[in-house]
Amino acid sequence: MQNKLVLGNWKMNGRLAANVALVQAMLADPDINRDGVGIAAPFPYLAQLGQLFAGSPLAVAAQDVSRYASDGAFTGESSAAMLADIGCRYVLIGHSERRQYFGENDACLRDKLQAAVAAGLVPVYCVGETLDERESGRFADVVAEQLKTLDAIAGQEYVVAYEPVWAIGTGRVASIEQIDAAHQLIRDRVLQCHGASASIRVLYGGSVKADNADAILSLASVGGALVGGASLEAKGFGKICQSAKKIL
Ligand SMILES: O=C(CO)COP(=O)(O)O
């Protein structure tokens, strides 16, 4: 059985001094400071995170990457090679907030996935349906369509994160049955497309907190958690990481 992976996604939060305090608290907690845990920070703080994590197994993750792989005239962009250069291991790709606010479409996400794996990063490809899509019974089709983009990196190492849009930052967590069914569907779909030998890890994200982490992470279909709000505070994040460890 694979170890469960817990990634914190700080989203657009953080400041130099506050990051130091938060990371110090995380490093002091053995449930957090171990292999299988990482933090996705905003670009300006990735190098800081790398320095603070020096000597620790904690992984640095980026929240996005340029679709353009080679250096050059792409003002404002940060390439996968740059992220690898400063020590990132993972990169989130296709988070619903990027799809929603920045219009990221399949073509763009395909380029990002390819750029990431070419630079040796592990993409964490995010999928998930809106409330309307779930309530109108289109959940399975929407997620299957989003998963097609992974064809661009078939055979390479990647992680999928299932984040129902209606559960992100809302406190409204998907039920255990909904999570298990979605994760089974994603696993089946990926195995169908990429072969039975594909190793597939699916993280759940959407209002994961200290008090629901045990139930979510104990599902065999759940390969870990992608944690937003609760990763901005060490104590709660530590409890989530502890749940992941207990269940190994
Ligand atoms: O979007 C998320 C992680 O990427 C989930 O965010 P919350 O845990 O704040 O709901």
Side-chain angles (χ1 to χ4, degrees):
M1 190 184 177
Q2 274 181 324
N3 289 354
K4 306 248 169 178
L5 173 68
V6 181
L7 292 178
N9 175 9
W10 284 356
K11 307 196 178 184
M12 197 169 77
N13 292 289
R15 290 292 186 274
L16 286 174
N19 299 346
V20 172
L22 178 52
V23 170
Q24 276 172 353
M26 289 182 168
L27 292 172
D29 182 341
D31 289 323
I32 303 178
N33 190 3
R34 64 179 176 82
D35 201 27
V37 179
I39 295 291
F43 285 127
Y45 302 125
L46 287 173
Q48 181 198 21
L49 218 54
Q51 281 161 8
L52 291 169
F53 287 179
S56 139
L58 282 171
V60 181
Q63 298 176 8
D64 186 27
V65 63
S66 177
R67 69 188 293 185
Y68 299 103
S70 7
D71 292 1
F74 300 106
T75 302
E77 291 290 272
S78 299
S79 71
M82 291 173 182
L83 298 179
D85 192 35
I86 62 164
C88 286
R89 169 149 172 72
Y90 298 98
V91 54
L92 308 187
I93 293 182
H95 192 281
S96 63
E97 287 150 17
R98 300 226 44 99
R99 294 179 192 258
Q100 184 184 349
Y101 302 128
F102 304 97
E104 294 193 354
N105 59 20
D106 289 346
C108 162
L109 297 176
R110 201 166 280 128
D111 289 349
K112 290 187 177 199
L113 288 167
Q114 281 173 335
V117 297
L121 300 172
V122 178
V124 180
Y125 180 64
C126 306
V127 299
E129 79 289 0
T130 62
L131 189 57
D132 178 52
E133 287 162 346
R134 176 162 282 270
E135 286 179 343
S136 60
R138 284 178 293 141
F139 151 73
D141 290 343
V142 167
V143 170
E145 192 57 37
Q146 291 171 335
L147 289 172
K148 278 191 193 155
T149 309
L150 283 174
D151 292 351
I153 53 161
Q156 310 276 347
E157 185 183 1
Y158 61 81
V159 174
V160 176
Y162 170 61
E163 299 204 307
V165 178
W166 47 274
I168 295 178
T170 58
R172 181 177 167 182
V173 68
S175 72
I176 293 303
E177 293 73 26
Q178 286 171 326
I179 295 173
D180 199 29
H183 280 237
Q184 297 289 358
L185 184 131
I186 291 167
R187 294 174 66 86
D188 289 351
R189 170 84 209 169
V190 170
L191 294 178
Q192 229 173 48
C193 296
H194 298 175
S197 61
S199 110
I200 162 79
R201 183 204 289 281
V202 187
L203 311 183
Y204 171 77
S207 298
V208 177
K209 306 274 179 251
D211 60 2
N212 59 25
D214 265 356
I216 295 169
L217 286 162
S218 63
L219 290 170
S221 60
V222 171
L226 183 54
V227 183
S231 69
L232 294 169
E233 185 266 310
K235 204 161 164 236
F237 189 61
K239 285 219 175 92
I240 296 169
C241 294
Q242 191 187 46
S243 300
K245 200 163 91 175
K246 264 199 299 213
I247 289 150
L248 288 184

